[in-house]
Amino acid sequence: MTRLLPPGEVGRAAALLREGALVAFPTETVYGLGADARNPRALAAVFEAKGRPRFNPLIVHYPEAGAAFAEVAAEGRARTLAARFWPGPLTLVLPRRPGCGVDLLASAGLETLAVRVPAHPLALALLRAAGVPVAAPSANRSGAVSPTTAEHVLEGLGGRIAAVLDGGPCPVGVESTVLDLSGEEAVLLRPGGVPVEAIEAAIGPVARRAAAVEGGEGLRSPGLLASHYAPGLPVRLEAREAAPDEALLAFGPAPSGAAVTWNLSERGDLAEAASRLFAGLRWLDAEGTRRGCARIAAMPVPRTGLGLAINDRLARAAAPRPGLLHPQRRP
């Protein structure tokens, strides 16, 4: 049985992590499924609980930049970004240092490691109390919609993990930005909570090379699989109107006609939209299924700032899944 721990039981959650158990906890982005990153059996349990392919690396979380940079080689750009954005929703992929204590399973056997310092006060308290690096992918079944509340975690992983540390809703609502700094060129692997424009203002140009992949071999960070963050209903992108058999994910003024509507932000605010994205997909999936809807229709969202991350998640939610007729657009 999975225990729901109130914020005051950080010490108990930390003890469970040190014992090799799995504990979900809140970050400013989404809830993470935490495991001791030095413990290969605990890491294997993460993959088992999520049904996650083992070629997909994990992000390792630390309470402060010094602890992270003790295990990865941080050059000037990394230190500049850490000073500017940590704690915060930015993950850096950097070369592992000799003697790095994180098990290779966390990085899918790569000689690089994805690291970050989360901004959520409860996450930081847990990391300090645990005293170990904590690998933590999103606390959901692999490929499903990411969780932004403790209740979401229990819906997907209840009975599969030891505990959920309840910190309320996550304020950012989309995962961290992932930036590869392991080579000469800075490469955006996944847009997220820190806009790429802000990163470029700090360190200069960033290449946008990564694309969603089907097979997964050679992934350098989490969140790069083509089909990911997917609800049960198919998702139609760039919807300008909604049919009676559609559940509408709206942004700004919403057209009428949909069976049910969730508005990310009636005023067109991207930060509000990001914070409501995964909760909206979950609600529309459940309510739309209950009402017999054929799909979720998603209205356009601007591709700037946090909108880049929102569009990335929607594109992956709409990607075809094996064995599923998954129309993305109406004729």
Side-chain angles (χ1 to χ4, degrees), residues 3 5-19 21-25 34 122 126 129-130 162-166:
R3 295 181 58 188
L5 301 176
E9 292 199 42
V10 167
R12 178 57 186 152
L16 286 168
L17 286 171
R18 289 193 299 270
E19 293 165 6
L22 304 186
V23 177
F25 63 95
L122 197 56
L126 176 63
V164 182
L165 184 60
D166 189 356

Side-chain angles (χ1 to χ4, degrees), residues 25-26 30 47 50 60-61 65 67 72 86 115-116 132-133 168 197 201 212 229 253 259 266 290 292 295 297-298 322:
F25 63 95
V30 300
F47 291 103
K50 284 179 63 68
V60 182
H61 295 66
V72 291
W86 280 358
V115 298
R116 91 172 182 103
V132 298
E197 296 91 341
Y229 316 110
E266 293 183 4
R290 188 179 72 82
R295 67 191 62 81

Side-chain angles (χ1 to χ4, degrees), residues 246-270:
E246 291 184 318
L248 179 66
L249 185 70
F251 180 78
S256 60
V260 60
T261 298
W262 174 283
N263 204 315
L264 294 173
S265 176
E266 293 183 4
R267 57 185 179 173
D269 182 271
L270 289 173

Side-chain angles (χ1 to χ4, degrees), residues 128-172:
R128 294 188 186 107
V132 298
V134 175
S138 56
N140 57 286
R141 293 287 287 171
S142 187
V145 180
S146 297
T148 53
T149 67
E151 290 75 17
H152 293 163
V153 178
L154 290 172
E155 287 171 10
L157 296 178
R160 293 175 173 269
I161 64 177
V164 182
L165 184 60
D166 189 356
C170 300
V172 175

Side-chain angles (χ1 to χ4, degrees), residues 62-72 79 82 86 97 117:
Y62 297 86
E64 45 88 21
F69 292 159
E71 298 200 295
V72 291
R79 295 185 182 276
W86 280 358
R97 287 188 183 276
V117 178

Side-chain angles (χ1 to χ4, degrees), residues 68-298:
F69 292 159
E71 298 200 295
V72 291
E75 33 80 283
R77 296 172 300 176
R79 295 185 182 276
T80 295
L81 292 172
R84 172 68 180 83
F85 297 112
W86 280 358
L90 175 65
T91 294
L92 301 178
V93 177
L94 294 162
R96 297 167 64 107
R97 287 188 183 276
C100 173
V102 174
D103 190 82
L104 280 170
L105 185 56
S107 53
L110 299 173
E111 288 303 319
T112 54
L113 192 64
V115 298
R116 91 172 182 103
V117 178
H120 198 291
L122 197 56
L124 291 173
L126 176 63
L127 292 168
R128 294 188 186 107
V132 298
V134 175
S138 56
N140 57 286
R141 293 287 287 171
S142 187
V145 180
S146 297
T148 53
T149 67
E151 290 75 17
H152 293 163
V153 178
L154 290 172
E155 287 171 10
L157 296 178
R160 293 175 173 269
I161 64 177
V164 182
L165 184 60
D166 189 356
C170 300
V172 175
V174 293
E175 291 84 354
S176 62
T177 302
V178 181
L179 189 70
D180 187 352
L181 294 178
S182 62
E184 292 186 7
E185 190 175 44
V187 180
L188 178 69
L189 296 182
R190 180 181 74 183
V194 174
V196 67
E197 296 91 341
I199 294 171
E200 290 184 318
I203 64 168
V206 171
R208 296 158 174 80
R209 286 184 177 172
V213 295
E214 296 291 347
E217 289 77 3
L219 292 179
R220 298 188 69 78
S221 89
L224 297 183
L225 291 174
S227 180
H228 203 41
Y229 316 110
L233 290 174
V235 176
R236 177 171 73 90
L237 302 178
E238 302 295 327
R240 304 286 178 176
E241 57 185 24
D245 66 345
E246 291 184 318
L248 179 66
L249 185 70
F251 180 78
S256 60
V260 60
T261 298
W262 174 283
N263 204 315
L264 294 173
S265 176
E266 293 183 4
R267 57 185 179 173
D269 182 271
L270 289 173
E272 181 183 23
S275 71
R276 288 170 54 79
L277 175 62
F278 289 136
L281 285 172
R282 285 175 174 272
W283 187 83
L284 287 175
D285 193 30
E287 188 65 13
T289 299
R290 188 179 72 82
R291 297 194 185 197
C293 291
R295 67 191 62 81
I296 295 170

